Amino acid sequence: MSHIVQIQTEVRDAAAVIAACSRLKLPEPKQGVFQLFGAAATGLGVELPSWRYPVVCDLTSGQLQYDNFSGRWGEQCELDRLLQMYSVEKTRLEARKKGYSVTEQALADGSIKLSLQVGAAV
């Protein structure tokens, strides 16, 4: 039986952020206070390619703080890739906790199809 799910991402899991950064070959995120253009933000800072300021993950609220000046200081596609990979890694982590196996398939449109199988842990 197949189910299609759409997810609005809240970033709350540091292990999934670290795994996503590793898969994307980004520097390891660091906890701290980061200066954005007009304010400081506290959380887990992620450096994206060609972004002037880091993306700061508030793991308590699940929200992201960043300033890319409508794409002038960082391309939106880089943030989209991070959120996509975070979602994949968070799903994999939660599936493993429940003993499910996960297979992953990259699709032609850039999306990633995850299939979970109950009772067949990897």
Side-chain angles (χ1 to χ4, degrees):
M1 174 181 267
S2 176
H3 300 276
I4 296 174
V5 178
Q6 291 187 338
I7 301 170
Q8 181 172 355
T9 306
E10 291 185 357
V11 178
R12 295 180 182 269
D13 187 322
V17 174
I18 292 168
C21 288
S22 176
R23 283 188 62 175
L24 294 171
K25 301 188 182 332
L26 300 174
E28 185 169 331
K30 301 202 180 330
Q31 184 70 34
V33 178
F34 300 91
Q35 185 63 46
L36 304 180
F37 178 74
T42 301
L44 193 60
V46 176
E47 295 179 36
L48 296 176
S50 76
W51 276 53
R52 183 176 291 186
Y53 300 102
V55 173
V56 182
C57 309
D58 181 340
L59 300 177
T60 302
S61 71
Q63 301 302 304
L64 301 177
Q65 293 182 298
Y66 60 92
D67 191 348
N68 70 346
F69 194 31
S70 302
R72 293 183 185 100
W73 295 342
E75 294 183 35
Q76 182 66 35
C77 65
E78 298 293 344
L79 179 58
D80 295 343
R81 286 182 39 198
L82 175 66
L83 291 174
Q84 179 187 45
M85 201 54 65
Y86 171 81
S87 299
V88 167
E89 289 301 320
K90 180 63 177 169
T91 301
R92 295 177 72 88
L93 287 169
E94 293 302 319
R96 283 190 203 118
K97 287 180 189 174
K98 295 180 185 265
Y100 302 162
S101 67
V102 180
T103 56
E104 191 175 313
Q105 179 183 5
L107 302 179
D109 66 358
S111 61
I112 298 172
K113 178 181 177 182
L114 296 175
S115 299
L116 282 65
Q117 185 172 1
V118 177
V122 174

